[in-house]
Amino acid sequence: MTGALTGAALLLFIGTGGGVLLEAIEHLKGGNAVIDRTLIAAMFLNVALILFGWFRYRGLAEELSQLSDADQRAKLLSQYDPLTGFLNRRSLIEEGAALFTGSLRRGKALALLTIDLDHFKTVNDVHGYAIGDALLTLVAEKISALVPGSSLLARLNADEFACAVVFDAAYPAVVDRIADRLIADLSKPFLIGETEVHVSTSIGIARSDIDCTSMDALLRTSDMALHAAKVAGRNRHAWFDGAMERSVQLRGELEAGLRVAVPNDAIVPFFEQQVDLTTGCITGFEVLARWEHPTRGAIGPEVFIPIAEGIGLIGDLSLSVMRQAFTAARDWDAGLSLSINISPVQLRDAWLAQKIIKTLVETGFPASRLEIEITESALFDNLPLAQSIVGSLKNQGISIALDDFGTGYSSLAHLRALPFDRIKVDKSFVGSMLDNPDSMAIVNTIVRLGDSLNLPTTAEGIENAAIEERLRGMGCAKGQGYLYGRPLCAAQVRRLLAEKRLLAQRPDISAPPQRGIAPRLAG
């Protein structure tokens, strides 16, 4: 509309302006020409319209330029991560698809490295999000410097990056070297202001010429390989193979099964005997979780416990097993104890002690007969919270054992930091002590340390009489292992205890809670 108006004004100016100007010039020379005032007015009106159109044109041009800049910025934001400048996930898939096709056409292979910072959440928790963001920026800069310049780089989520590299399919060692270089350099400390930050890196790698038909598939399989690297211990890289996919499918099936099994108490307690090494008498049992899967049969805790931890069910699973074990054991002889291992994940729950105490109240099992086992590695994440939980449990008369002693981070420091009642010697040392002098020395040292600190020791994994005899000679108080029998279900334990006259009269479950347990937690 503005252009049409300006064009019409120009035509009128040309048509009227010429005549008016000639008349004005003749008039100024003293001629008889008479200036038509209407034409003068029309001419000035045309000039005004032309100026209006020109200014309006300039304004529109600036608006269009601003819109174009905004569109460009919006486009950049939709394609790139604003913190690191790397591609985002969607753009990686789009641009990676072209690289995928191009590498195939040239007879090359495309490797996708999925790079994850181990325990990055701890950096944010300890140092704050500003330090975390600064760390991510430095990591991105280091990745850019370490990989080939033709690589595609992306940030997939908070602390996960991706690098797509074209390589000769016959020489995958080239990709191995890139991954090793990344792991080595990213494990070096980062200095952010006056703060020194340490992280490690896990990398999963997939290649386009093996079991991958698209960029989407490459991204999915490299993520599986990343999970395998983390399970293997972190700070390493792993290549994808078909077994990983089968493992993921199995895990998905077990996850679904656990979501049904846990609320239905299908994970049940089994009981492993604990024996006084001096008298040979049963002193109690360690509670172990067992799952009889409806289609896959017996599944060991080493399989389903990590899955339960990963999907947030470990707390419910543990309390379910406790509740069943307490109910089964409450009418055993009063001298028999129950030992139950607590997952490191559970020690992050500030309400753990209250939940355990509430379960004792509901089942009527005496707190004095319960021993909670905590591994050294579980204390590493948050020692102050662990101290609070242990303190609450001890106040109710529950005993605390340090499990797997000697395999963790800082054994002596933890013995000083928490009021333990017992030390458990890890079965990896006990089982090899007769064949390995180092294991023998470790077991002997732990038993002597426990004796000096007035902490009795329990040895796990006793499988023959020779090991038992040697432990007895060292002064180890208790033992458990296959020498004394395989773990038993509740019914089998009941028959065993009946034979040994170790069943007490069944208590009245309607009686008041045991002394030492806070009644207010019931319900």
Side-chain angles (χ1 to χ4, degrees):
M1 181 69 182
T2 302
L5 185 61
T6 304
L10 282 170
L11 290 174
L12 285 172
F13 179 76
I14 293 170
T16 61
V20 172
L21 286 173
L22 288 173
E23 290 179 355
I25 293 170
E26 184 68 23
H27 178 76
L28 291 172
K29 288 180 178 181
N32 296 325
V34 178
I35 298 176
D36 190 334
R37 296 182 181 274
T38 303
L39 289 177
I40 291 176
M43 183 186 72
F44 282 117
L45 177 60
N46 291 337
V47 171
L49 289 173
I50 291 169
L51 291 173
F52 169 78
W54 182 73
F55 283 118
R56 181 58 181 153
Y57 171 79
R58 279 190 57 188
L60 286 173
E62 289 177 0
E63 289 177 16
L64 289 173
S65 175
Q66 291 172 0
L67 287 173
S68 177
D69 291 343
D71 288 342
Q72 187 66 23
R73 285 195 297 271
K75 185 178 181 181
L76 289 174
L77 288 173
S78 70
Q79 293 177 329
Y80 295 92
D81 169 51
L83 181 64
T84 63
F86 283 6
L87 296 170
N88 58 28
R89 180 184 292 270
R90 187 183 70 179
S91 297
L92 173 68
I93 293 173
E94 292 173 353
E95 296 194 24
L99 195 61
F100 189 102
T101 304
S103 63
L104 183 65
R105 187 169 54 249
R106 293 159 48 201
K108 302 285 187 179
L110 181 64
L112 184 67
L113 292 76
T114 301
I115 306 160
D116 185 82
L117 302 183
D118 300 324
H119 304 299
F120 175 72
K121 183 178 182 298
T122 304
V123 176
N124 281 335
D125 291 343
V126 174
H127 302 292
Y129 288 97
I131 295 291
D133 286 348
L135 174 64
L136 292 173
T137 303
L138 293 175
V139 166
E141 291 174 358
K142 189 161 284 193
I143 292 173
S144 298
L146 292 172
V147 303
S150 59
S151 306
L152 280 182
L153 298 174
R155 182 184 176 203
L156 303 179
N157 57 39
D159 62 333
E160 191 171 314
F161 300 86
C163 172
V165 182
V166 176
F167 70 104
D168 189 326
Y171 300 100
V174 172
V175 182
D176 282 314
R177 285 195 292 272
I178 294 172
D180 288 337
R181 197 159 59 236
L182 285 166
I183 290 170
D185 277 47
L186 293 176
S187 66
K188 296 176 182 177
F190 291 86
L191 188 61
I192 303 171
E194 297 182 355
T195 303
E196 191 172 81
V197 180
H198 295 261
V199 291
S200 61
T201 305
S202 301
I203 300 177
I205 312 173
R207 49 191 292 175
S208 60
D209 56 334
I210 298 180
D211 297 328
C212 289
T213 57
S214 67
M215 192 64 191
D216 280 328
L218 198 61
L219 195 59
R220 184 174 64 87
T221 51
S222 69
D223 194 59
M224 292 183 196
L226 173 63
H227 176 74
K230 286 183 172 292
V231 170
R234 304 177 188 269
N235 200 34
R236 66 194 65 210
H237 75 271
W239 286 85
F240 169 77
D241 63 50
M244 293 178 186
E245 186 156 25
R246 292 189 293 274
S247 175
V248 169
Q249 291 171 348
L250 173 61
R251 181 183 175 89
E253 180 184 337
L254 295 182
E255 281 186 12
L258 279 174
R259 295 185 189 281
V260 175
V262 170
N264 288 299
D265 292 339
I267 312 294
V268 299
F270 269 54
F271 303 86
E272 184 176 20
Q273 297 179 50
Q274 295 177 328
V275 174
D276 186 310
L277 293 183
T278 301
T279 65
C281 295
I282 298 174
T283 62
F285 295 83
E286 179 175 355
V287 179
L288 308 171
R290 293 291 184 266
W291 182 18
E292 189 70 27
H293 192 276
T295 59
R296 294 188 172 273
I299 299 175
E302 73 281 356
V303 175
F304 67 80
I305 292 295
I307 296 175
E309 289 175 338
I311 62 176
L313 281 179
I314 188 63
D316 291 340
L317 187 156
S318 180
L319 290 174
S320 169
V321 171
M322 281 187 202
R323 187 176 296 105
Q324 295 176 70
F326 295 164
T327 301
R330 62 188 173 187
D331 65 341
W332 297 352
D333 186 90
L336 297 178
S337 63
L338 282 184
S339 297
I340 296 182
N341 197 283
I342 293 299
S343 162
V345 176
Q346 290 178 268
L347 274 183
R348 300 172 192 165
D349 180 5
W351 294 97
L352 175 62
Q354 286 74 14
K355 291 176 181 178
I356 293 174
I357 295 165
K358 183 173 184 289
T359 305
L360 288 169
V361 171
E362 291 172 344
T363 58
F365 187 78
S368 59
R369 290 175 55 196
L370 176 61
E371 182 178 79
I372 294 294
E373 298 181 9
I374 301 173
T375 60
E376 285 186 85
S377 57
L379 304 176
F380 185 70
D381 286 343
N382 192 334
L383 183 58
L385 179 57
Q387 289 174 317
S388 173
I389 292 171
V390 167
S392 297
L393 294 173
K394 290 278 291 180
N395 287 340
Q396 299 297 330
I398 298 169
S399 299
I400 307 296
L402 181 58
D403 195 17
D404 298 342
F405 186 79
T407 63
Y409 297 92
S410 179
S411 307
L412 294 176
H414 289 148
L415 283 176
R416 294 176 57 190
L418 291 166
F420 289 106
D421 300 286
R422 177 175 298 279
I423 300 173
K424 298 195 73 174
V425 187
D426 187 65
K427 61 183 178 182
S428 63
F429 302 129
V430 175
S432 61
M433 58 184 288
L434 296 183
D435 304 316
N436 187 325
D438 291 338
S439 294
M440 177 70 78
I442 290 171
V443 173
N444 189 46
T445 299
I446 293 173
V447 173
R448 288 177 178 273
L449 177 64
D451 185 58
S452 67
L453 296 174
N454 197 28
L455 293 175
T457 51
T458 297
E460 299 178 301
I462 302 176
E463 296 189 356
N464 59 62
I467 292 177
E468 179 190 50
E469 182 63 29
R470 185 61 65 90
L471 288 166
R472 187 183 299 115
M474 290 179 181
C476 185
K478 291 184 182 180
Q480 62 185 84
Y482 288 169
L483 176 63
Y484 311 109
R486 299 274 176 168
L488 305 172
C489 69
Q492 292 170 323
V493 172
R494 192 167 190 81
R495 286 195 294 270
L496 173 67
L497 296 180
E499 293 172 2
K500 295 180 177 293
R501 300 181 182 277
L502 290 173
L503 286 179
Q505 182 178 359
R506 180 174 291 275
D508 180 5
I509 62 173
S510 64
Q514 296 289 330
R515 184 178 180 182
I517 302 177
R520 61 186 177 80
L521 293 173

